[in-house]
């Protein structure tokens, strides 16, 4: 770990399983559930592995040499697959116990929320305090996209659980994966937010993200890039007031401008040299103790940045680690010429690889 020392607090993504109970057609992990060659990935994390991972976290924390005045709360996000499957309840409860027994922690989950009812007592500001939940349109559209293996829809079940989570004081961010097929139905979904009372909760927010053409069931003809989606959302908001409640990827730019020019805030914290935590201090750890830089590049030990052994020792693959951690606006010759580089941080490495092969 000597070569990973940075003065930035690490964040952890724990993947208790690669299994999922939905079969969304655009999923970048779809092959893991449909190709028998990946069947070995679908097991659930065990308590001994949780113990091993937390020992590894302690060593990673120490290697990061965090300043004394830094926020001491450990950041843990549950991801999958679907991390909050009903059958995973025992291991999730054990993870929360381990996290809370080691001091204050911020715990969140990226979940489809279909089985969230099994976790009701584990939700709240001092437990799982934040959720990202996906809804892909009003019920009639969502139920053709976010589907179970038998083809049935999931909207109403998710909606009931979302309401429950808000009532327990959880911060809920609704993500809408948007392509050219469902964009024009966002006003109808925004009305659902109002009808179901979600918009009245201070802890509720919603945003759009473009569906990426990452498997054989999606293509660049049916998807937006981020610029096209932002333009389409601007037009939609001009025509439908309800859609103005839905955020986009660049909405933060105006707020940053206000902070800089109206509030005279320090500009330096607003700048970033890299796009996301994959190039900084994020560690994605799966049910096998393998460590990855990015959650869209997991499940293949040949691309892992490290691993945690049975004794809790952390071993990093320096070459692969440097390939991720060295990516910045300074390392990219295109970004070095761009006046907006320190606003966007250089863009997504996974999308760059998909377009350019590196």
């Amino acid at each position: 770990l000597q070569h990973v020392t940075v003065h930035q607090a690490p964040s952890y993504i724990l993947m208790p399983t690669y299994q999922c109970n939905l079969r969304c057609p655009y999923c970048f992990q779809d092959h893991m559930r449909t190709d028998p060659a990946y069947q070995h990935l679908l097991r659930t994390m065990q308590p001994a592995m949780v113990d091993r991972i937390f020992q590894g976290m302690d060593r990673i924390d120490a290697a990061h040499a965090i300043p004394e005045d830094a926020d001491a709360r450990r950041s843990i996000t549950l991801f999958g697959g679907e991390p909050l499957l009903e059958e995973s309840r025992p291991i999730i409860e054990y993870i929360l116990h381990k996290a809370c027994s080691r001091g204050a922690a911020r715990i969140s989950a990226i979940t489809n929320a279909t089985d969230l009812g099994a976790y009701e007592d584990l939700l709240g500001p001092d437990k799982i305090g934040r959720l990202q939940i996906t809804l892909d349109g009003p019920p009639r559209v969502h139920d053709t996209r976010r589907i179970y293996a038998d083809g049935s829809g999931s909207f109403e079940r998710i909606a009931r659980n979302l309401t429950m989570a808000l009532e327990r004081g959880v911060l809920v961010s609704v993500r809408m994966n948007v392509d050219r097929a469902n964009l024009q139905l966002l006003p109808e979904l925004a009305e659902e937010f109002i009808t179901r009372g979600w918009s009245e909760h201070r802890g509720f927010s919603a945003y759009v993200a473009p569906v990426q053409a990452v498997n054989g069931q999606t293509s660049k003809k049916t998807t937006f890039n981020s610029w096209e989606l932002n333009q389409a959302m601007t037009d939609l908001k001009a025509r439908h007031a309800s859609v103005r409640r839905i955020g986009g990827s660049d909405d933060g730019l105006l707020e940053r401008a206000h902070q800089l020019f109206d509030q005279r805030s320090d500009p330096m914290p607003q700048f970033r040299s890299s796009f996301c935590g994959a190039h900084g201090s994020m560690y994605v750890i799966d049910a096998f103790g393998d460590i990855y830089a990015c959650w869209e590049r997991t499940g293949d030990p040949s691309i892992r940045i490290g691993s945690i052994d049975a004794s809790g020792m952390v071993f990093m693959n320096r070459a692969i680690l440097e390939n991720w951690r060295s990516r910045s606006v300074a390392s990219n010759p295109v970004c070095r010429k761009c006046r907006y580089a320190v606003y966007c941080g250089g863009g997504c490495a996974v999308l760059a690889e998909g377009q350019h092969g590196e």
Side-chain angles (χ1 to χ4, degrees), residues 135 137-139 142-143 153-159 189 192 196 198:
L135 293 172
H142 173 100
D143 285 346
S154 58
F155 189 96
E156 286 303 329
R157 189 169 183 176
I158 295 170
L189 178 59
E192 286 279 345
R196 294 174 185 269
W198 298 338

Side-chain angles (χ1 to χ4, degrees), residues 20-338:
C20 185
N21 57 344
L22 296 187
R23 296 295 182 269
C24 308
Y26 52 74
C27 181
F28 67 91
Q29 295 177 334
D30 183 63
H31 62 285
M32 294 183 179
R33 271 82 69 175
T34 58
D35 187 339
Y38 295 90
Q39 188 71 28
H40 65 283
L41 292 177
L42 303 183
R43 75 182 192 193
T44 302
M45 188 180 289
Q46 297 300 306
M49 179 59 70
V50 175
D51 295 340
R52 179 196 304 190
I53 288 171
F54 273 87
Q55 290 174 348
M57 285 181 183
D58 291 341
R59 291 185 166 94
I60 293 172
D61 285 350
H64 275 254
I66 309 305
E68 292 183 3
D69 60 350
D71 189 340
R73 293 177 297 171
R74 179 175 278 168
S75 173
I76 298 174
T77 299
L78 304 172
F79 185 69
E82 169 49 43
L84 302 185
L85 292 171
E86 184 173 2
E87 56 264 34
S88 298
R89 156 82 196 220
I91 201 63
I92 297 299
E93 190 169 6
Y94 188 69
I95 290 171
L96 264 59
H97 169 74
K98 292 288 290 189
C100 295
S101 68
R102 290 170 173 253
R106 290 188 300 268
I107 301 175
S108 59
I110 298 174
T111 174
N112 63 36
T114 55
D115 286 353
L116 199 60
Y119 293 85
E120 183 170 359
D121 62 314
L122 299 183
L123 301 177
D126 57 343
K127 298 177 181 177
I128 303 176
R130 293 175 179 265
L131 297 173
Q132 178 189 295
I133 298 171
T134 298
L135 293 172
D136 275 359
R140 60 190 174 84
V141 175
H142 173 100
D143 285 346
T144 66
R145 297 164 64 98
R146 308 285 291 178
I147 55 175
Y148 287 95
D150 64 2
S152 60
S154 58
F155 189 96
E156 286 303 329
R157 189 169 183 176
I158 295 170
R160 289 195 301 271
N161 288 332
L162 197 158
T163 299
M164 177 269 292
L166 287 171
E167 291 173 347
R168 293 192 64 83
V170 175
L171 300 178
V172 176
S173 175
V174 168
R175 173 187 173 111
M176 289 150 286
N177 294 318
V178 177
D179 56 25
R180 298 182 187 277
N182 67 343
L183 172 73
Q184 297 302 324
L185 295 166
L186 288 182
E188 191 176 337
L189 178 59
E191 292 297 331
E192 286 279 345
F193 297 164
I194 298 170
T195 301
R196 294 174 185 269
W198 298 338
S199 297
E200 299 175 2
H201 285 268
R202 295 183 62 182
F204 177 82
S205 61
Y207 73 100
V208 293
V211 172
Q212 304 295 341
V214 295
N215 62 34
Q217 300 189 61
T218 56
S219 72
K220 291 184 178 180
K221 292 182 179 180
T222 61
T223 58
F224 293 104
N225 62 37
S226 59
W227 167 256
E228 292 168 337
L229 179 56
N230 282 335
Q231 295 301 298
M233 287 296 294
T234 298
D235 175 68
L236 207 57
K237 289 178 180 181
R239 292 186 287 113
H240 300 277
S242 61
V243 180
R244 296 168 195 165
R245 298 171 177 265
I246 300 174
S249 59
D250 281 343
D251 286 357
L253 180 56
L254 183 60
E255 176 58 29
R256 293 185 190 191
H258 281 306
Q259 292 173 358
L260 293 175
F261 297 109
D262 296 341
Q263 302 170 19
R264 298 289 192 262
S265 64
D266 180 0
M268 292 306 294
Q270 308 291 332
F271 300 150
R272 56 181 181 170
S273 63
S274 59
F275 181 70
C276 72
H279 312 298
S281 56
M282 183 170 76
Y283 296 84
V284 184
I285 309 173
D286 70 7
F288 306 90
D290 290 332
I291 307 174
Y292 299 89
C294 170
W295 54 35
E296 293 199 26
R297 287 292 183 271
T298 57
D300 180 359
S302 70
I303 60 172
R304 65 189 180 186
I305 61 172
S307 61
I308 304 173
D309 73 6
S311 66
M313 294 295 292
V314 180
F315 297 90
M316 306 304 292
N317 183 318
R318 185 165 189 166
I320 298 178
L321 179 70
E322 288 299 316
N323 191 39
W324 284 95
R325 302 307 201 216
S326 64
R327 179 184 166 93
S328 72
V329 296
S331 68
N332 188 325
V334 176
C335 295
R336 287 202 299 268
K337 300 176 183 178
C338 177

